[in-house]
Amino acid sequence: MTLISQTFPIAEKLIANGLSLTEQLYQALQQEAITLKQSPLAETLDEISRQKQPLAQELDLFAKQLAQILETEKLPNTRSGLNDYLERAIQAGADTSAAVENWTTLIKTTEKCQLLNEQNGASIEILLRHTRQSLNILKGKPQTTNTYGPDGNTKSDLFSGSLFSV
C-alpha cells in the first residue's frame, strides 16, 4: 500500500470539512454585510465577529493539516500542489471525484469570502470615519485645517478626503 493510499482518505475528509467551514464563514460574512447595510449596531457586529473567529481558527488548522499531507508527498502547500496530490491519488487508484468537486467548490467559496470580507472591511472603515467625524463635530474640532501644503493648496485633515477608494 502506497503512502498516498493511506493519506488520501484523510485528505478527502479534510477537504470536505474545510468546505463546510468555508461555507459557514461565508454565511457569517453575508450576515455581517447585511448588518452593515441595515443597522450597524456594535453588539450585532461583535456577535458576528465572535462567530467568525472560531471558524477562522478551524480553517487555519485545516490548512496546516492539509499542508502536512502534501508534505508527505513532497508537494508544495499550494493549489497546484493539491492538484498534483489529487492526480497522484487517481494514479494510485483512488476515486477522487468527491474530493475534486469539494476542492473546486472550496476554492470558489474562499474567493467569495475574500471579496466579501474586503467589502465589509471597506464598509466598516467608512462607518468608522463617519463616527470619528461626528465625534469631532461634537467636540468642536473644525472639519478642515487652515494650513497650506508645499504645493500652495490648503492641507486638509481626514474628513475632507474621499471616503472610498478602489
Side-chain angles (χ1 to χ4, degrees):
M1 179 179 245
T2 66
L3 192 54
I4 201 157
S5 298
Q6 295 171 357
T7 61
F8 179 71
I10 298 166
E12 188 173 37
K13 288 178 185 173
L14 277 173
I15 291 169
N17 186 46
L19 174 58
S20 174
L21 292 168
T22 304
E23 288 171 338
Q24 290 174 51
L25 180 61
Y26 185 67
Q27 290 172 359
L29 289 167
Q30 285 179 312
Q31 185 61 44
E32 183 178 59
I34 290 167
T35 300
L36 286 166
K37 288 177 185 170
Q38 291 177 349
S39 59
L41 299 174
E43 299 82 21
T44 307
L45 292 173
D46 285 345
E47 178 59 34
I48 293 169
S49 180
R50 283 190 291 275
Q51 291 172 5
K52 291 187 318 183
Q53 189 167 7
L55 291 172
Q57 290 171 343
E58 287 185 62
L59 282 166
D60 185 53
L61 179 61
F62 153 75
K64 288 176 182 174
Q65 291 171 330
L66 199 56
Q68 289 174 337
I69 288 175
L70 292 174
E71 191 175 307
T72 64
E73 291 292 317
K74 298 184 180 14
L75 291 169
N77 185 20
T78 61
R79 288 182 188 182
S80 64
L82 187 68
N83 290 336
D84 291 344
Y85 177 85
L86 292 171
E87 280 297 317
R88 290 181 188 181
I90 290 171
Q91 293 169 1
D95 177 10
T96 63
S97 58
V100 168
E101 183 178 334
N102 287 341
W103 177 246
T104 302
T105 305
L106 188 147
I107 293 299
K108 289 177 183 176
T109 306
T110 300
E111 289 169 350
K112 291 191 309 188
C113 283
Q114 181 179 4
L115 178 62
L116 191 53
N117 192 51
E118 289 171 2
Q119 291 170 347
N120 289 352
S123 294
I124 290 169
E125 179 63 28
I126 289 169
L127 289 170
L128 182 60
R129 285 183 184 184
H130 178 74
T131 301
R132 284 183 186 148
Q133 183 180 14
S134 297
L135 287 172
N136 284 327
I137 289 170
L138 292 172
K139 291 178 181 178
K141 182 179 176 187
Q143 293 279 341
T144 59
T145 60
N146 295 325
T147 60
Y148 295 92
D151 59 355
N153 291 325
T154 57
K155 195 175 181 182
S156 58
D157 67 3
L158 171 73
F159 306 115
S160 63
S162 66
L163 291 178
F164 187 77
S165 65
V166 179

